């Protein structure tokens, strides 16, 4: 996944500051936003290198602190991005320089515990996926946030792309006729820098499938039930600096979703797919999401986190045409900046914690379906349609 800044057009769009040279410190006083949100970031590994340039360029963010249990990583990011405070543990960070929004970029299995601790200390949260390890735990975190008048958000941000909006509008407007089915795929040979991806609570569904599941449910509505098969294709892996580890969470998955009203979708995700684009999947040109109805078809070119456009054909216009090629300032690593913008201005985000938790429920239900051989009914839902 590739680097990008906050998004020049996004700032201009929201401030009316046309012709502005964007970047921290480059604004004139007339365009200074309402207020800046003090941000603390925990987890200074791979993805922090994508988030920090975006946060530093965001006019609604003041970076206050960074934290990592590997203190050399916090020190490196503090120096690289000129962040004044660095900490080795969350309790020290929470007791240190004050901030309002925690950006949680730690191991997937750590999010729930750290999010809970930060909420208790009165912080708003932007969390990488997942917000929590189970639906019940996530709902408890959300209830705590609401009770304390705090906000809680979780990745991914795929519903914020103009390509998602285009697809959602075609479906809602009836351009595909009666929608029947959708298919999504996301895979590569798996990350090699951390073992948590392969341990319980990690897996290809939590790391990769989560994007497609957010798009499929965002387009077709909350799922009512799940049937799935999952497997471990590669039982042992080599991890940088760690050597050989045992794989204990699925690294290969096939999931079927029932969206009600006859609409069925399917996702496949894996850490065992040959892919010439590897982890840097932005060069992917295949359709990774396909939606089909009685009157039309749409294919999303590239991955939903950084799509290139939407190919579209209908009975009325069967010659395939590409639409929505412009990102309009959307970048996948912009979720924490959008959260800060929401706190500063009240402008709501299209992504919601309820949607993120619905996807957590789908992932845990998929594993339960495989383990029991049963179709699993889902209980959670979220505000849909996402785009109105
Ligand atoms: N790497 C990517 O391109 C990418 C892209 C999108 C999302 N993500 C998500 O971002 C999260 C982090 O992934 P990553 O690739 O950066 O992993 P990583 O292993 O490179 O970084 C995680 C960091 O968190 C630190 N950490 C773990 N537990 C901690 C704790 N209790 N307190 C403080 N620090 C702690 C680790 O020391 C490590 O430096 C995951 O949820 C992943 O799914 C990663």
């Amino acid at each position: 996944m590739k680097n990008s800044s906050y998004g020049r057009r996004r700032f201009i769009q929201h401030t009316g500051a046309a012709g502005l040279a964007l970047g921290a410190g480059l604004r004139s006083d007339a365009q200074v936003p309402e207020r800046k949100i003090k941000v603390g970031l925990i987890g200074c590994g791979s993805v922090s290198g994508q988030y920090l340039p975006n946060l530093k360029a965001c006019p609604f963010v003041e970076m206050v602190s960074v934290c990592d249990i590997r203190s050399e990583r916090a020190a490196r990011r503090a120096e690289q991005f000129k962040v004044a405070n660095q900490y080795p543990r969350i309790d020290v960070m929470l007791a240190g320089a004050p901030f309002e929004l925690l950006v949680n970029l730690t191991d997937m299995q750590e999010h729930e515990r750290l999010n809970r601790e930060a909420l208790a200390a009165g912080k708003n949260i932007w969390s990488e996926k997942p917000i929590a390890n189970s639906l019940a735990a996530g709902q408890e975190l959300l209830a705590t946030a609401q009770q304390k008048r705090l906000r809680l958000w979780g990745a991914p941000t795929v519903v914020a792309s103009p390509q998602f909006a285009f697809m959602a509008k075609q479906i809602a407007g009836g351009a595909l006729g009666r929608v029947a089915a959708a298919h999504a795929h996301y895979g590569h040979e798996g990350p090699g820098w951390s073992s948590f991806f392969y341990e319980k609570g990690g897996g290809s569904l939590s790391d990769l499938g989560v994007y497609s599941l957010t798009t499929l449910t965002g387009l077709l509505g909350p799922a009512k039930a799940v049937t799935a098969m999952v497997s471990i294709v590669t039982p042992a892996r080599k991890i940088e600096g760690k050597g050989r580890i045992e794989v204990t969470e699925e690294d290969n998955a096939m999931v079927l979703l029932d969206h009600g009203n006859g609409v069925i979708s399917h996702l496949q995700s894996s850490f065992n797919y040959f892919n010439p684009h590897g982890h840097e999947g932005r060069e992917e040109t295949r359709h990774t999401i396909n939606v089909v109805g009685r009157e039309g078809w749409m294919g999303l070119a590239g991955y939903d986190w950084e799509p290139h456009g939407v190919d579209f054909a209908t009975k009325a216009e069967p010659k395939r045409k590409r639409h929505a090629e412009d990102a309009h300032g959307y970048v996948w690593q912009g979720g924490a900046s959008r959260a800060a913008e929401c706190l500063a201005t009240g402008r709501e985000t299209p992504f919601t914690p309820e949607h993120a938790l619905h996807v957590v429920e789908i992932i845990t239900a998929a594993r339960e379906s495989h383990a029991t051989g049963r179709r699993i009914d889902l209980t959670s839902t979220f505000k849909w349609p996402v785009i109105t």
Side-chain angles (χ1 to χ4, degrees), residues 363-376:
I363 291 171
T364 53
R367 290 174 183 152
E368 187 187 343
S369 171
H370 173 79
T372 59
R374 285 192 299 116
R375 169 190 164 110
I376 309 295

Side-chain angles (χ1 to χ4, degrees), residues 134-296:
S134 68
L135 173 67
Q139 284 175 334
E140 170 224 308
L141 294 184
L142 189 53
T144 305
Q146 283 160 352
Q147 190 208 343
K148 289 171 139 298
R149 295 179 172 275
L150 295 168
R151 298 295 300 265
L152 170 68
W153 289 274
T157 60
V158 287
V159 300
S161 80
Q163 291 80 9
F164 176 88
F166 176 84
M167 293 177 95
K169 279 180 188 153
Q170 300 316 312
I171 293 171
L176 304 189
R178 173 82 162 82
V179 173
H183 173 254
H185 64 91
Y186 187 6
H188 49 64
E189 290 173 74
W193 59 88
S194 279
S195 54
F196 71 81
F197 292 104
Y198 306 103
E199 292 160 359
K200 280 282 167 214
S204 76
L205 279 170
S206 303
D207 191 46
L208 307 181
V210 61
Y211 293 91
S212 321
L213 290 169
T214 305
T215 298
L216 290 173
T217 50
L219 290 174
L220 304 178
K224 316 273 185 233
V226 174
T227 309
M229 286 190 194
V230 302
S231 64
I232 294 177
V233 170
T234 308
R237 298 248 174 185
K238 249 176 99 179
I239 299 297
E240 288 159 27
K242 208 165 183 179
R244 193 175 176 281
I245 60 136
E246 191 194 344
V247 175
T248 52
E249 190 58 277
E250 55 74 22
D251 65 2
N252 193 40
M254 293 268 180
V255 179
L256 270 172
L257 301 177
D258 173 358
H259 299 267
N261 199 27
V263 181
I264 303 166
S265 74
H266 170 246
L267 148 84
Q268 57 183 90
S269 68
S270 184
F271 288 142
N272 299 279
Y273 290 172
F274 160 73
N275 186 330
H277 310 297
H279 187 259
E280 293 286 327
R282 64 188 306 270
E283 301 300 330
E284 179 60 75
T285 54
R286 289 177 297 170
H287 296 123
T288 64
I289 311 268
N290 285 274
V291 187
V292 67
R294 291 185 57 89
E295 308 279 325

Side-chain angles (χ1 to χ4, degrees), residues 163 284-289 299-304 306-311 322:
Q163 291 80 9
E284 179 60 75
T285 54
R286 289 177 297 170
H287 296 123
T288 64
I289 311 268
L300 183 76
Y303 289 116
D304 47 5
E306 196 170 318
H308 309 305
V310 182
D311 293 328
R322 180 153 295 191

